[in-house]
Amino acid sequence: MRDNGATSRSEALYERAQKVLPGGVSRNTVLRSPYPVYAAHAEGCYITDVDGVERIDFANNMASLIHGHAHPAIVAAVADQMTRGTAYTMATEAEIRYAEHLCSRNDGFDQLRFVNSGTEAVMAALKVSRAFTGRPKIAKVEGAYHGSYDFAEVSQTAAPANWGGVDAPESVPVSHGTPRGVLDDVVVLPFNDVERAVQILDRHSDDIACVLVDLMPHRVGLCPATQDFVDALRSWTTANGALLVADEVITFRGRCGGAQQGYNLRPDLTAMAKMIGGGFPVGAIAGRREVMQVMNPRSDDYRVPHSGTFSANPITMTAGRTAMELFDEEAVARLNNLNRLAMDEMTGAISRRGVEASVSGAGSLFQIHMTNPAPTNYRDAYPAPEVAARLSRFVDLLLGNGILLASSGTGILSTPMGEDEIGQLVAAVDRSLAGL
Ligand SMILES: Cc1ncc(COP(=O)(O)O)c(C=O)c1O
């Protein structure tokens, strides 16, 4: 027992935290009931909390760590850069080297600009799309999370009471006070429903600047987009003078140059973030030269002034390049194979236990659902209260069994993992299912 009656260091820290941080945290993601677990240190794919409990980290800071924690090559590269300064009001070669590397991974990346988060990358992509096309509206998939820019977050938390008919989903605000104008300028599409999506887009064809799509939106059930859906969005945007923006903030890890390569898709713009920072805050927007030129102050087409105090700082550039150079074709394939093994074995454990659950995912990401079959669109994925409660209990049981997952039941692999860690994951899933 601690001085203040708390039974663990995490509980005691949370009591202090609530006095100075609304809800006790700066990001809701780390909240758990009755209190968050506080990290002490981490190495590779293992993380230890302030009470000394070690777990395998399948959350990887919400998919932002591709090599787990404290990878020696990243630590050494960053430490070396730190001794020479962390940020300057001068451009650096580190920025050029990293831009060259990222552009070399995907033929559709003629140019890119760095920012500091996925939210910012998506925001920049939407602003560039509006500036390039001269149109006001964006279209996005119902329920998909694209960060917290007003327009990008519309309908991310739509609920049965306000989501409207599936033929014309409502634009539902996330934050109270979202201006009506924002909602009017966002067109909401059902995921993987080609016919309805095209009908909805057709109603706004003169006004749509871009269609924003995540190829495997995690809040829509981590179900991959179908090739038909992706093809339909690509042809509709091309035919109607709109841009296609891929949000690869999470899915970029699926292939060397992003999950889009698995679809033979060339979006006009791609938003990236998370793992491309090598463990540091990052975002990037990449795409066609002609479109990117609206951000070029030296171009006749200059339409979007763009800056950011910490954008392309040499720490992030160094960490990001080091991480991504290590995440080559071979490393991507190995991790994806490991994820397939994990998904197959967890599915096997679920069916042997005969419980109502399922696993979805692709690349190096999986999600465990307390429904069977796994959801394939946002309305299916929207959990009944008892299903949400079961999932939360399951994720807690896993935590007690040595596995840290994101609270949505999402698991994210990192390169230090091997078959041993997958074996431990499957055994923990099996025990937790039994404990439900
Ligand atoms: C698909 C997607 N886009 C954008 C974002 C926003 O990224 P950030 O948290 O870096 O602002 C996220 C974050 O989870 C995301 O999952």
Side-chain angles (χ1 to χ4, degrees):
M1 193 73 85
R2 315 262 145 212
D3 293 348
N4 58 3
T7 54
S8 77
R9 279 177 186 270
S10 283
E11 186 178 1
L13 286 173
Y14 191 52
E15 278 186 29
R16 270 172 61 199
Q18 288 176 92
K19 297 191 182 110
V20 284
L21 300 158
V25 291
S26 289
R27 50 180 195 157
N28 293 350
T29 331
V30 295
L31 276 176
R32 284 183 185 266
S33 198
Y35 49 82
V37 182
Y38 285 79
H41 55 90
E43 193 180 348
C45 58
Y46 289 86
I47 182 160
T48 305
D49 71 21
V50 287
D51 289 300
V53 180
E54 186 185 80
R55 300 180 178 89
I56 308 180
D57 188 357
F58 278 93
N60 279 302
N61 193 35
M62 301 306 284
S64 66
L65 304 171
I66 195 68
H67 301 299
H69 303 273
H71 188 288
I74 301 176
V75 171
V78 168
D80 177 56
Q81 175 60 46
M82 293 262 288
T83 62
R84 287 177 286 119
T86 59
Y88 327 104
T89 315
M90 280 193 189
T92 66
E93 186 179 349
E95 172 184 9
I96 307 169
R97 281 182 75 187
Y98 192 24
E100 285 168 348
H101 175 76
L102 286 175
C103 287
S104 77
R105 295 174 84 101
N106 185 315
D107 291 342
F109 295 178
D110 296 333
Q111 292 194 313
L112 63 79
R113 269 215 175 188
F114 289 107
V115 290
N116 294 296
S117 67
T119 292
E120 242 188 292
V122 169
M123 176 174 73
L126 300 187
K127 290 167 83 168
V128 164
S129 300
R130 291 186 200 119
F132 184 78
T133 60
R135 296 172 174 184
K137 294 190 180 179
I138 67 134
K140 63 158 290 190
V141 164
E142 186 167 48
Y145 183 63
H146 298 285
S148 52
Y149 180 41
D150 286 350
F151 296 84
E153 74 175 9
V154 166
S155 279
Q156 173 201 306
T157 52
N162 58 20
W163 62 28
V166 70
D167 292 321
E170 289 288 335
S171 290
V172 180
V174 170
S175 308
H176 283 245
T178 301
R180 182 70 241 173
V182 169
L183 304 176
D184 290 344
D185 279 337
V186 178
V187 174
V188 181
L189 310 174
F191 188 56
N192 273 348
D193 185 337
V194 172
E195 202 174 317
R196 284 199 178 93
V198 169
Q199 276 169 8
I200 294 167
L201 288 170
D202 280 343
R203 292 203 283 273
H204 305 270
S205 53
D206 293 339
D207 292 329
I208 290 184
C210 70
V211 176
L212 169 66
V213 68
D214 177 339
L215 298 168
M216 191 168 64
H218 50 104
R219 298 212 185 167
V220 183
L222 208 75
C223 165
T226 61
Q227 185 71 49
D228 282 354
F229 187 64
V230 173
D231 290 347
L233 297 183
R234 179 66 282 186
S235 12
W236 189 91
T237 44
T238 306
N240 289 279
L243 301 186
L244 185 62
V245 177
D247 179 346
E248 292 241 47
V249 165
I250 288 199
T251 56
F252 196 72
R253 54 171 48 226
R255 290 279 183 120
C256 229
Q260 55 190 262
Q261 290 178 328
Y263 291 88
N264 207 10
L265 168 68
R266 187 170 289 198
D268 301 285
L269 293 172
T270 299
M272 292 168 278
K274 298 209 186 233
M275 76 155 183
I276 66 159
F280 291 83
V282 78
I285 156 177
R288 264 167 62 196
R289 185 179 308 276
E290 186 196 359
V291 179
M292 294 297 292
Q293 284 304 299
V294 302
M295 298 173 105
N296 176 1
R298 295 174 174 245
S299 147
D300 294 340
D301 271 338
Y302 181 44
R303 300 176 206 174
V304 180
H306 174 257
S307 263
T309 305
F310 280 97
S311 292
N313 72 77
I315 299 294
T316 300
M317 296 297 97
T318 303
R321 184 178 50 77
T322 309
M324 293 304 286
E325 283 174 356
L326 288 167
F327 196 52
D328 56 12
E329 294 276 5
E330 198 185 326
V332 174
R334 192 189 78 85
L335 210 56
N336 291 356
N337 283 336
L338 209 54
N339 191 53
R340 264 191 291 276
L341 175 73
M343 287 177 62
D344 287 349
E345 297 211 347
M346 286 187 289
T347 305
I350 289 167
S351 83
R352 277 192 301 281
R353 287 272 170 207
V355 291
E356 182 155 2
S358 55
V359 183
S360 65
S364 45
L365 305 160
F366 66 81
Q367 189 170 6
I368 303 174
H369 307 274
M370 291 294 115
T371 52
N372 190 12
T376 55
N377 64 55
Y378 178 67
R379 294 186 183 199
D380 282 354
Y382 192 85
E386 63 280 8
V387 174
R390 231 164 93 83
L391 179 67
S392 160
R393 167 118 181 90
F394 176 71
V395 171
D396 283 349
L397 285 167
L398 272 177
L399 196 70
N401 277 296
I403 301 289
L404 177 65
L405 280 195
S407 55
S408 55
T410 305
I412 296 128
L413 272 58
S414 65
T415 58
M417 290 177 179
E419 290 188 14
D420 186 29
E421 281 76 23
I422 299 303
Q424 293 185 56
L425 166 71
V426 175
V429 164
D430 189 48
R431 278 197 299 277
S432 304
L433 289 172
L436 270 176

